[in-house]
Amino acid sequence: MRFKNKTALITGGGTGIGAAVARRIRQDGGDVALVGRRPEPLRSVADEIGATIVAADAADGVAMKAAVEKVVEMHGGLDILIANAGGHGVGPTVSMSDETWDLAVRFNLNTAFVSARESLPHLIKSQGNIVVLASIAGLFAGPDAAGYVTMKHGCIGLAKSLARDYGRKGVRTNTVCPGWVTTAMADEQMEFIVEKYKLKNIEEAYRLVTRDVPLGRPATAEDVANAVCFLASGEASMINGAILTVDGGAGTVDLPTLAFAE
């Protein structure tokens, strides 16, 4: 029970990787608070595992401050922040609108920054830690995804800065960079690939985008959750400022079909 007597706040905790992390932390004895803009998916996960729901936009400083304070009041403190909210920013630069770019900034980078800023006073007190969900898009660029790629690079820079600035105060910060993950968000992108390449179904699309991945498959949300929960646990007590990829070895080869998902 490695998270016994620990409380974790997870942004974007209602679906995909965030939900998988929430399940894993609960299985390992921790308390979980799910934060997101849409209460319905949060409620579904919370009812399943027994978690606290706080509906808030993680990119909104006022809303996130109130959310963190509510979590601390309900659970008596905060030990772990999983900055998982993200998405948007895909498409050719030449046709990307200001609105799409701004959404990429808000949903990927601002959510991580604001949730970290508002959580840090409590994490310093608890000697807690932060795990930022970036992407292998934060390490190199895939095609037609300038907004997403740029913001995920920014998430890694943010995590490195937090590790540098707050390690002396007892707060560790690490980054997890998934490749393709079989989530609802990725399924939507697979539908686009099915249409573009005239494939039969999304399973064929996943095989196409991972054909050059050494392990030959996409990750599951649970694969990513395992890595996140390791970094968030006491087992990683000497790991600070690390970047852990969960991509089946994709970063070791040139991937012409590479694209990105949460």
Side-chain angles (χ1 to χ4, degrees):
M1 305 295 278
R2 58 182 171 176
F3 295 115
K4 185 178 180 180
N5 299 322
K6 302 291 185 182
T7 296
L9 187 158
I10 304 173
T11 64
T15 58
I17 293 169
V21 172
R23 294 185 185 99
R24 182 61 186 272
I25 290 176
R26 287 292 289 149
Q27 289 170 2
D28 285 347
D31 292 325
V32 171
L34 305 173
V35 174
R37 293 174 295 114
R38 298 176 297 147
E40 293 80 10
L42 297 178
R43 189 173 298 113
S44 177
V45 176
D47 289 346
E48 174 193 344
I49 67 175
T52 301
I53 297 174
V54 184
D57 182 349
D60 183 316
V62 173
M64 197 61 196
K65 182 178 180 63
V68 171
E69 294 296 339
K70 182 176 180 180
V71 171
V72 170
E73 180 181 352
M74 295 178 70
H75 293 280
L78 179 62
D79 303 282
I80 301 163
L81 169 65
I82 309 297
N84 170 69
H88 288 273
V90 176
T93 298
V94 70
S95 59
M96 185 174 293
S97 67
D98 291 345
E99 180 183 12
T100 298
W101 178 265
D102 289 344
L103 286 173
V105 177
R106 184 174 184 86
F107 289 155
N108 293 287
L109 189 53
N110 289 1
T111 54
F113 169 74
V114 171
S115 59
R117 183 187 65 196
E118 300 306 329
S119 298
L120 271 166
H122 304 285
L123 295 174
I124 292 169
K125 186 179 297 184
S126 66
Q127 301 287 275
N129 73 88
I130 300 169
V131 180
V132 176
L133 267 296
S135 167
I136 55 174
L139 300 173
F140 50 89
D144 291 336
Y148 188 78
V149 166
T150 302
M151 301 318 146
K152 290 306 185 183
H153 275 70
C155 285
I156 292 174
L158 171 64
K160 288 181 177 180
S161 292
L162 294 173
R164 171 65 179 81
D165 292 343
Y166 295 95
R168 289 280 184 171
K169 297 181 183 295
V171 179
R172 298 184 298 109
T173 304
N174 294 291
T175 308
V176 172
C177 292
W180 277 113
V181 186
T182 52
T183 63
M185 184 181 294
D187 286 352
E188 292 177 3
Q189 296 180 53
M190 291 303 106
E191 294 288 358
F192 170 78
I193 291 172
V194 166
E195 182 176 349
K196 181 176 181 179
Y197 293 100
K198 311 301 182 186
L199 304 177
K200 294 179 181 179
N201 49 47
I202 63 172
E203 287 74 23
E204 279 197 5
Y206 275 117
R207 285 195 292 271
L208 174 63
V209 298
T210 60
R211 67 185 181 186
D212 298 314
V213 173
L215 288 187
R217 67 171 179 88
T220 65
E222 290 72 26
D223 290 329
V224 182
N226 289 338
V228 170
C229 289
F230 164 68
L231 289 174
S233 75
E235 297 165 21
S237 63
M238 196 56 187
I239 301 177
N240 183 41
I243 301 170
L244 180 58
T245 60
V246 186
D247 62 359
T252 67
V253 295
D254 180 30
L255 296 176
T257 57
L258 185 66
F260 311 104
E262 295 292 332

